Every structure is written in structure tokens, then in C-alpha cells.
Amino acid sequence: TIRYIMAHKLPKEIYDEVLLWQMILESDRVCWLCGERNGANSLDHDHITNKIRGWTHSLCNSVEGYIRNHPHRGNLLKNLLQFYGDDT
């Protein structure tokens, strides 16, 4: 379907719509944040542009939103990773 759209030079809006539906119907959902396959059941989107970013785990989505809304807390993650090292 994507090749058909590109070959026939259909509008970008149609291309984006097809990509969205392919993502929604996708059975092998991979979390775009952590890369794991199990349980990625939230379709994540940008709240400003409404652009779909991909499937996420609920927890990954929550962490991403928290860090984006509180960028000064980014050091918290860095410090936790250093504290726990390779034990995580």
C-alpha cells in the first residue's frame, strides 16, 4: 500500500493516514521508547501536533510525559542509572 501511494504520487495526507492505520492494525507492537514487544498497548501521540509517534507501554508513556513536562528532572534518571549501574 505504501509503495502504491508513493508510485502514484498521492498526497502526503493519504500517506500519513495509511501509515496510521497500518500502525493501529499492527499485531507485532513494539514500544517506540524502550524497544520491547510485550504489552505495548498505548498508541502514543504528540499532544501539540497530534502526530502519532507509535505504540508504547503505559509506564513508558507516563515516564516520557513526565520527563518532557519536567525537563529539570532529567538528572533524576541519570542519577538513578548511575546508582543502580548494571544491576537494572
Side-chain angles (χ1 to χ4, degrees):
T1 56
I2 298 300
R3 285 187 195 147
Y4 178 88
I5 290 170
M6 294 175 80
H8 291 85
K9 297 183 168 87
L10 295 175
K12 182 180 181 323
E13 294 78 23
I14 293 175
Y15 178 80
D16 291 344
E17 187 77 17
V18 169
L19 284 179
L20 171 63
W21 280 106
Q22 280 185 331
M23 193 180 304
I24 289 172
L25 298 173
E26 194 173 82
S27 60
D28 189 25
R29 298 176 180 169
V30 177
C31 177
W32 78 272
L33 292 166
C34 75
E36 292 184 10
R37 297 186 188 288
N38 297 350
N41 59 5
S42 297
L43 194 54
D44 182 42
H45 71 284
D46 185 297
H47 289 252
I48 296 170
T49 65
N50 285 326
K51 182 174 170 78
I52 301 293
R53 292 186 284 223
W55 291 102
T56 67
H57 297 101
S58 295
L59 180 59
C60 293
N61 195 14
S62 295
V63 169
E64 184 271 334
Y66 181 81
I67 294 300
R68 186 161 35 108
N69 293 332
H70 304 89
H72 61 283
R73 300 276 185 177
N75 283 335
L76 170 68
L77 287 178
K78 184 178 102 182
N79 292 340
L80 285 172
L81 289 170
Q82 286 176 345
F83 178 78
Y84 288 110
D86 292 330
D87 295 340
T88 57

